[in-house]
Amino acid sequence: ATTRVTRATNGQLLYTRRYTRQRRGLTSFAEDISHRIMMNVPRIVLFFVSFLSAWWVVSSAEHDLAWSTGMSSDEQAMSAAAGDTITFTWSYTHDVVTIDDESDFDACTDSAMTSPGSGSDSSPYTYTLDSSLKAGDKVFFTCSVGSHCNLNQKLVVTIV
């Protein structure tokens, strides 16, 4: 061990530090690396958690839907995450409207239908699910043209 004494210019003792020399072999190198890794585990974990959470937030899925009358019950149900996009594609005369209430959706209540935004009457129409939606929330879509809603042109999106 080596002791180092540091003094000010006037000779007053500032501090002493004791140094020990380690053998620089393979064992001390491995111990040094292991020590550095263990000391940085919280930082490493934080990095990966941050990376994965950022990836989770940024990554959103795109869902394509053939929008037509006579949709089967399987075609009328979709699971999606908040922030996902749904692209409705159709030919002929259709539009996309939303309904807030499930009973109005089931009954195809015209007065409850609202346009989700401009362009919802031309194909293809892309709708982005609000990022504030929580798991279990439902978003209801239908077509307001004629009796298309009663002809099963509707969609329930359940947030997962």
Side-chain angles (χ1 to χ4, degrees):
T2 305
T3 303
R4 181 175 180 174
V5 177
T6 304
R7 296 186 182 273
T9 54
N10 63 3
Q12 184 179 3
L13 179 65
L14 291 177
Y15 64 87
T16 61
R17 181 177 281 168
R18 186 176 179 107
Y19 294 95
T20 57
R21 286 190 163 236
Q22 291 184 346
R23 200 178 91 232
R24 287 290 179 200
L26 183 60
T27 305
S28 66
F29 176 76
E31 288 172 355
D32 185 47
I33 295 298
S34 174
H35 174 74
R36 288 174 189 255
I37 291 172
M38 292 307 292
M39 292 304 292
N40 287 306
V41 164
R43 290 182 186 151
I44 294 168
V45 169
L46 180 63
F47 169 77
F48 281 110
V49 167
S50 299
F51 174 77
L52 291 175
S53 64
W55 175 80
W56 185 266
V57 169
V58 171
S59 68
S60 60
E62 297 175 3
H63 306 272
D64 295 321
L65 180 70
W67 194 231
S68 65
T69 58
M71 294 170 64
S72 70
S73 58
D74 287 342
E75 294 171 320
Q76 293 178 32
M78 178 186 292
S79 295
D84 285 2
T85 59
I86 304 167
T87 300
F88 297 84
T89 306
W90 65 85
S91 52
Y92 307 111
T93 305
H94 297 294
D95 66 359
V96 178
V97 294
T98 58
I99 298 179
D100 292 331
D101 183 67
E102 189 167 5
S103 61
D104 287 332
F105 174 77
D106 292 338
C108 292
T109 306
D110 287 340
S111 62
M113 297 178 187
T114 57
S115 172
S118 65
S120 64
D121 57 351
S122 60
S123 179
Y125 174 69
T126 300
Y127 181 90
T128 302
L129 295 167
D130 194 299
S131 60
S132 66
L133 292 168
K134 306 283 185 254
D137 288 349
K138 293 182 179 182
V139 182
F140 304 98
F141 298 94
T142 190
C143 178
S144 68
V145 175
S147 59
H148 291 187
C149 181
N150 290 316
L151 294 171
N152 291 329
Q153 188 173 1
K154 46 168 91 176
L155 173 69
V156 177
V157 178
T158 303
I159 305 302
V160 291

